[in-house]
Amino acid sequence: MSSTVALMLAAWAVEVAVGWPDRLYGWIRHPVVWLGSLIDALEGRLNRATLSNVTRYALGAVTTLLTVGVAAGAGILVAAALPPSLAGFAVLAVLSSSLLASRSLHQHVAAVAKPLIDDDTARARLAVSRIVGRDPALLDEAGIARASLESLAENASDGVVAPLFWGAVLGLPGLAGYKAINTLDSMIGHRNDRFEAFGGFAARLDDLANLLPARLTALLFAAAAGRRARDVLAVVHRDASSHRSPNAGWPESALAGVLAVRLSGPRRYGDTISEEPWLNGEAPDPSADDIVRGLRCYRRALAIAAATLTLVGMMAAAIVAGSTQ
């Protein structure tokens, strides 16, 4: 099997089994926290309101390229420093597992479903506030369910499929580099006065890095729908491009099609109302039970992804073996 694919499968197995333990987090924190500290330091020094937008964009590009370079370079150094043995591979798998988020995503979305099923809207709002940026105080049951399912769909792409994709292609350096891009986008890739110029390059780079993974995630959700896959793909074909993001609309419209509910639509961020179009808009609003169904679909999609990744790795290894004979 291809070494990079084998590494991603091993890392994923570790992440699903144990995640990133709280004790380890308390001891050395987390690689994303380290990246966040670097981004914060650079942004605080370079993103000055007195500079022109052109200068701020250029400095944001420098910040982005430096952060991605540090992350990918660290991946190269770590991979080179470890011995080419089973022990070295195991250490590499554990380190790589910290950059995947399938387990934590499931836990965070499930934490919304339970109180919502129990009609504890206050706890459900608190839980959903940990995974979305919109104001949870204004969300009713349908709004909470929509927000959690949209987060599940988008983060299935950004937090699982995309890092696995780039890790399978480029190993730990690719995985670390992608995680840096995604962290940059979440921290500075916002359309507001402070970040629109400085974070513009990071946002566009994130769009590019997620172009293929977002579409692969939509296909995985469709495959998880079984016999209804064609109906799901019809929803994706019709609605994905209407989303403000060039990528998020793909997994979100796919999950909306799988569950036969509507997602997206108008939402509030602070004092601003964002008039987003509906995805699968003719369907009803989701409920708490649909979050549970969404998590079931997510698990099936990831099982299909694991099987596909294994098959790809075996095919790549066979091609390499055939070329050396």
Side-chain angles (χ1 to χ4, degrees):
M1 181 179 291
S2 166
S3 60
T4 55
V5 172
L7 174 62
M8 288 303 100
L9 288 169
W12 196 7
V14 172
E15 190 268 335
V16 169
V18 299
W20 192 252
D22 291 341
R23 182 174 296 181
L24 189 58
Y25 182 88
W27 181 35
I28 62 171
R29 309 300 284 176
H30 188 278
V32 172
V33 177
W34 309 339
L35 287 169
S37 297
L38 174 60
I39 296 165
D40 268 338
L42 291 170
E43 191 270 334
R45 287 179 176 271
L46 299 178
N47 188 20
R48 299 177 184 175
T50 55
L51 299 174
S52 70
N53 284 343
V54 172
T55 302
R56 292 171 79 182
Y57 185 92
L59 290 173
V62 170
T63 295
T64 298
L65 294 174
L66 181 60
T67 303
V68 174
V70 166
I76 292 171
L77 291 175
V78 169
L82 290 170
S85 63
L86 184 59
F89 180 83
V91 172
L92 203 57
V94 170
L95 293 174
S96 299
S97 73
S98 68
L99 301 176
L100 301 171
S102 61
R103 178 188 175 100
S104 62
L105 175 58
H106 191 285
Q107 290 174 333
H108 279 97
V109 175
V112 180
K114 187 178 186 308
L116 203 58
I117 291 171
D118 295 337
D119 292 325
D120 190 342
T121 307
R123 280 182 55 221
R125 286 188 179 123
L126 178 61
V128 82
S129 71
R130 299 188 177 113
I131 58 174
V132 298
R134 69 198 72 168
D135 185 357
L138 302 175
L139 296 178
D140 57 9
E141 178 183 343
I144 294 169
R146 279 199 306 271
S148 60
L149 287 170
E150 289 160 19
S151 180
L152 176 65
E154 185 174 2
N155 285 294
S157 176
D158 294 359
V160 187
V161 176
L164 284 171
F165 175 84
W166 288 110
V169 173
L170 297 172
L172 180 57
L175 174 60
Y178 170 78
K179 203 64 181 182
I181 293 170
N182 191 239
T183 304
L184 281 154
D185 181 63
S186 68
M187 292 182 66
I188 66 174
H190 307 295
R191 295 180 178 178
N192 55 32
D193 290 342
R194 178 175 176 181
F195 292 120
E196 186 159 18
F198 187 81
F201 183 85
R204 300 293 79 75
L205 185 60
D206 183 75
D207 288 343
L208 182 61
N210 283 295
L211 196 67
L212 281 175
R215 287 146 182 80
L216 289 174
T217 306
L219 290 175
L220 289 170
F221 280 142
R227 295 178 180 178
R228 293 188 55 250
R230 181 174 295 181
D231 295 336
V232 173
L233 291 175
V235 174
V236 173
H237 181 264
R238 185 190 65 201
D239 293 345
S241 60
S242 67
H243 199 285
R244 62 185 171 87
S245 165
N247 296 319
W250 289 75
E252 287 184 23
S253 59
L255 187 59
V258 172
L259 302 178
V261 299
R262 66 176 184 173
L263 297 178
S264 194
R267 74 278 307 275
R268 181 184 291 274
Y269 296 94
D271 296 328
T272 304
I273 295 178
S274 180
E275 295 291 344
E276 304 295 337
W278 292 103
L279 302 175
N280 202 26
E282 71 280 2
D285 282 319
S287 65
D289 289 338
D290 291 314
I291 303 177
V292 176
R293 292 175 56 227
L295 287 169
R296 194 179 302 131
C297 173
Y298 170 71
R299 294 192 296 269
R300 288 197 302 268
L302 294 193
I304 294 169
T308 303
L309 193 57
T310 301
L311 180 61
V312 168
M314 293 173 65
M315 292 174 61
I319 291 171
V320 170
S323 66
T324 57
Q325 290 179 353

